Amino acid sequence: MPKIQPFKAIRAPRAFANLVASRSYEDYSDGELESKLEFNPYTFLHVINPGYRYHKEVTGVQRFQLVKNRYLEFKEDGIYVKDKDPALYVYRMTTRNNSFCGIIAGASADDYAQDKIKKHEDTMQRREELFKDYLKTVGFNAEPVLLTYPDKATIKETIDKVTAVIPDYEFTTQDRVTHALWPITDIDIISILQYEFEQIPNFYIADGHHRTASSYLLAETLKAENPDHTGKEAYNFFMSFLIPESELRIYEFNRMVKDLNGLSKEQFLFKLDKWFRIENRGLELYKPSKKHHFSMYLDGEYYSLYLRKTVYKFTDALSELDTQILYKTILEPILGISDLKNDRRIKYGYGKNNLLQMKQQIDEGDFAVGFGMMPLSVEEIKAIADEGLTMPPKSTYIEPKMRSGLTIYEF
């Protein structure tokens, strides 16, 4: 049964909160990033992009140290202040279409090691080690791992009571997302939430597999270096945002491939016929509405592909994923793409307009063929995690996407 831990967050005073918190660094275009750094001296982007001050890109260990320096400067200037009391933090993010409300807390690295916090994606050891070294140098985590858990009425009722009062923060960012934060310092409420979460068998990582793995490596490293280790040190936990499964939003990634692997259009369709019932839908934009149904855009026309279930064999939870089916029936055997992470012939896209964007890129000759599918479900993700399996890369695009620098967790 996984544990959650209150902590003393380092965060901006109310007057600075809307200026400090940022989207993930990779989320910004070059122009947006330049504008933020030029005109907002309070944005957390200055911390994670420390080379801007020197008008140069800084990488590696040198960047890690400069990130720490910028962070310390933010604390010295009062842009960041440490809370006086340990707290759990109820955080609500409201977009134009969705509202996400959950709890920011410390999650246990030991629970991750014992598979009480389950994963569904592979991680790369090189990235784990690199981010572990980054965390060790800077001494903080600025973006929580997204964890999900089965809906629980008592947890919701407690959160509803907390959010019935005016939040400590409430502000709207330029992307029309409203953010609200309620610190919980009442020991009785904290105890209730800790107890209720401990009754849940498992948490599931929705987003942040590398951050979780790196936090575990950091905990093991600092544990080995500390002769007085007790298990209660801050490094034994990592910052997480826990939301119920019902609030998780899962979207699909579509796939586009540069060429047909030397096949003509007719040869390609003939090979597809082994696995799928194919229907040419002409110019009609076709979007799948059922599991094991796929859309395909090829040579100016849309096709629907229905899996022949008498030919394809289901053996485990992985074999039932549409992303795995597409890989095992088309991408690998027909188009010759075995390395979904590194093969430059394949590109991924997501978003409600991505089918149209995919069509445009194929019409312009950037790609030869594109495939769309239904989003995976929470149940499918959990089944993969429970069986100890991992999904193909880019199987899910999951929301919410958390802000960086809203709350800081120090080790």
Side-chain angles (χ1 to χ4, degrees):
M1 294 178 285
K3 301 179 288 293
I4 63 168
Q5 181 85 353
F7 66 101
K8 296 179 182 180
I10 289 78
R11 54 194 181 99
R14 187 177 304 171
F16 294 134
N18 65 318
L19 298 172
V20 172
S22 71
R23 305 198 309 270
S24 291
Y25 179 79
E26 297 81 4
D27 237 16
Y28 292 91
S29 66
D30 291 343
E32 283 181 307
L33 187 60
E34 181 71 24
S35 177
K36 288 284 186 183
L37 292 168
E38 178 70 22
F39 298 108
N40 182 1
Y42 303 106
T43 176
F44 186 70
L45 293 169
H46 281 290
V47 175
I48 55 178
N49 190 53
Y52 179 78
R53 174 181 293 184
Y54 304 105
H55 305 290
K56 64 179 289 187
E57 184 174 345
V58 184
T59 60
V61 176
Q62 185 182 41
R63 175 179 172 268
F64 299 170
Q65 187 58 52
L66 287 176
V67 167
K68 182 177 182 179
N69 294 347
R70 294 294 86 75
Y71 172 65
L72 293 175
E73 288 172 6
F74 266 45
K75 292 177 70 176
E76 291 163 2
D77 293 341
I79 299 171
Y80 273 134
V81 179
K82 189 172 187 175
D83 280 346
K84 294 180 180 179
D85 301 305
L88 300 175
Y89 300 84
V90 174
Y91 169 61
R92 184 173 67 206
M93 176 192 296
T94 306
T95 70
R96 281 170 283 186
N97 301 312
N98 296 298
S99 180
F100 309 99
C101 189
I103 293 177
I104 298 174
S108 168
D110 190 53
D111 284 343
Y112 173 72
Q114 295 183 26
D115 205 32
K116 295 177 185 177
I117 299 175
K118 292 180 175 287
K119 63 179 183 177
H120 63 262
E121 288 183 7
D122 265 335
T123 54
M124 294 183 288
Q125 186 175 359
R126 180 183 62 81
R127 285 187 62 190
E128 290 179 19
E129 292 284 350
L130 181 66
F131 195 61
K132 182 261 292 182
D133 292 342
Y134 168 82
L135 292 174
K136 188 177 182 185
T137 301
V138 302
F140 67 83
N141 198 317
E143 188 176 326
V145 170
L146 182 61
L147 300 179
T148 190
Y149 60 89
D151 287 54
K152 208 166 189 288
T154 46
I155 294 177
K156 184 180 186 307
E157 289 166 4
T158 305
I159 290 176
D160 287 346
K161 290 178 182 177
V162 171
T163 57
V165 302
I166 296 173
D168 198 50
Y169 289 164
E170 187 167 27
F171 58 90
T172 300
T173 45
Q174 290 180 334
D175 53 1
R176 298 182 183 179
V177 177
T178 299
H179 308 266
L181 188 77
W182 293 263
I184 304 173
T185 56
D186 186 293
I187 295 174
D188 291 336
I189 298 176
I190 290 174
S191 296
I192 289 170
L193 288 169
Q194 287 180 312
Y195 173 80
E196 293 297 337
F197 275 110
E198 284 181 5
Q199 308 315 302
I200 296 172
N202 301 106
F203 297 154
Y204 292 83
I205 302 173
D207 193 19
H209 284 77
H210 279 93
R211 279 175 284 145
T212 307
S214 299
S215 296
Y216 169 69
L217 288 181
L218 177 69
E220 290 297 290
T221 298
L222 296 181
K223 174 182 175 180
E225 294 175 357
N226 182 5
D228 299 318
H229 172 82
T230 65
K232 296 181 179 180
E233 295 85 357
Y235 59 71
N236 293 290
F237 301 86
F238 57 94
M239 187 167 64
S240 300
F241 180 48
L242 296 105
I243 67 169
E245 292 172 4
S246 62
E247 293 194 17
L248 207 63
R249 296 292 176 264
I250 305 172
Y251 304 94
E252 74 278 12
F253 272 97
N254 298 320
R255 278 94 163 106
M256 295 178 290
V257 181
K258 292 278 188 183
D259 57 68
L260 297 182
N261 198 27
L263 299 172
S264 67
K265 173 183 173 181
E266 290 73 21
Q267 290 171 325
F268 177 62
L269 289 172
F270 181 79
K271 287 181 176 292
L272 284 186
D273 194 76
K274 172 185 175 182
W275 298 104
F276 300 94
R277 177 182 170 184
I278 305 172
E279 182 178 343
N280 186 326
R281 294 180 177 259
L283 299 178
E284 174 194 354
L285 191 156
Y286 171 69
K287 186 175 175 62
S289 58
K290 291 183 179 180
K291 190 176 176 181
H292 308 331
H293 288 190
F294 302 83
S295 66
M296 180 174 73
Y297 186 71
L298 172 68
D299 194 25
E301 295 178 308
Y302 287 97
Y303 295 80
S304 59
L305 308 179
Y306 299 164
L307 181 68
R308 298 186 189 276
K309 296 179 183 178
T310 55
V311 177
Y312 183 88
K313 302 301 180 185
F314 300 117
T315 56
D316 54 21
L318 178 61
S319 69
E320 296 195 23
L321 294 187
D322 283 347
T323 50
Q324 179 72 359
I325 291 169
L326 192 67
Y327 172 62
K328 298 304 289 186
T329 60
I330 301 177
L331 298 178
E332 183 182 43
I334 300 177
L335 295 178
I337 296 174
S338 56
D339 187 349
L340 294 174
K341 288 183 179 178
N342 301 308
D343 196 315
R344 295 186 177 182
R345 294 171 56 224
I346 189 169
K347 185 178 178 182
Y348 305 90
Y350 67 90
K352 64 180 181 180
N353 297 319
N354 188 251
L355 281 178
L356 292 175
Q357 294 167 357
M358 183 172 71
K359 175 185 183 302
Q360 180 180 350
Q361 289 183 280
I362 293 172
D363 288 343
E364 291 174 352
D366 297 331
F367 297 89
V369 63
F371 304 94
M373 66 202 84
M374 285 282 291
L376 301 184
S377 66
V378 172
E379 290 72 23
E380 288 178 296
I381 293 174
K382 290 173 63 177
I384 291 292
D386 289 341
E387 292 185 25
L389 304 170
T390 54
M391 300 189 302
K394 302 295 184 184
S395 285
T396 58
Y397 179 84
I398 293 179
E399 290 182 344
K401 296 296 182 187
M402 294 293 294
R403 292 265 151 174
S404 293
L406 183 70
T407 56
I408 303 285
Y409 182 89
E410 286 188 340
F411 307 116

